[in-house]
Amino acid sequence: MAMKIRLARGGSKKRPFYSIVASDSRMPRDGRFIEKLGTYNPLLAKDDEKRVVMNLERVNHWLSQGAQPTDRVARFLEAAGARPKTARSNPKTGTPGKAMAERAAKKAARAEAPAEAE
């Protein structure tokens, strides 16, 4: 059985609240789970200690059993010190989008036009 440690959404419309759960990867996101391991409330301030609450002992148990955390849960575990930080690579982070590139090209063309007239 492929296990995942992931977020299950709760809360009402526009007021998200997530449970950190251990579940079979074939189950739906908000469906059946094996154990609730903690909570995540994205509406609280980032420095609030109640934003992410986890039972690290149980999380480590599931990790030792072969459960794979999702990307977001892995970040929570890195912040808690339960996992080593992994290097992330996003090579496109500094490149402008299509619209910004077009604006830059137009601006460069306008800057060259008066120089050619002289």
Side-chain angles (χ1 to χ4, degrees), residues 52-97:
V52 178
V53 178
M54 281 188 289
N55 183 347
L56 287 177
E57 183 179 311
R58 293 303 296 164
V59 170
N60 288 328
H61 166 76
W62 284 109
L63 290 173
S64 69
Q65 297 296 315
Q68 295 296 315
T70 58
D71 293 338
R72 178 60 56 183
V73 174
R75 285 190 178 209
F76 295 156
L77 293 173
E78 289 171 6
R83 282 177 64 113
K85 289 204 178 238
T86 57
R88 293 180 182 84
S89 174
N90 186 0
K92 292 186 177 183
T93 189
T95 59

Side-chain angles (χ1 to χ4, degrees), residues 7-9 12 14 16 20 26 32 42 49 51 57 59 63 65 67 69 73 82-83 97 101-102 108-109 111 113 115:
L7 298 175
R9 187 179 165 149
S12 60
K14 306 225 182 206
I20 301 169
R26 296 170 291 190
R32 190 170 66 198
E49 71 250 2
R51 183 177 168 102
E57 183 179 311
V59 170
L63 290 173
Q65 297 296 315
V73 174
R83 282 177 64 113
E102 288 175 7

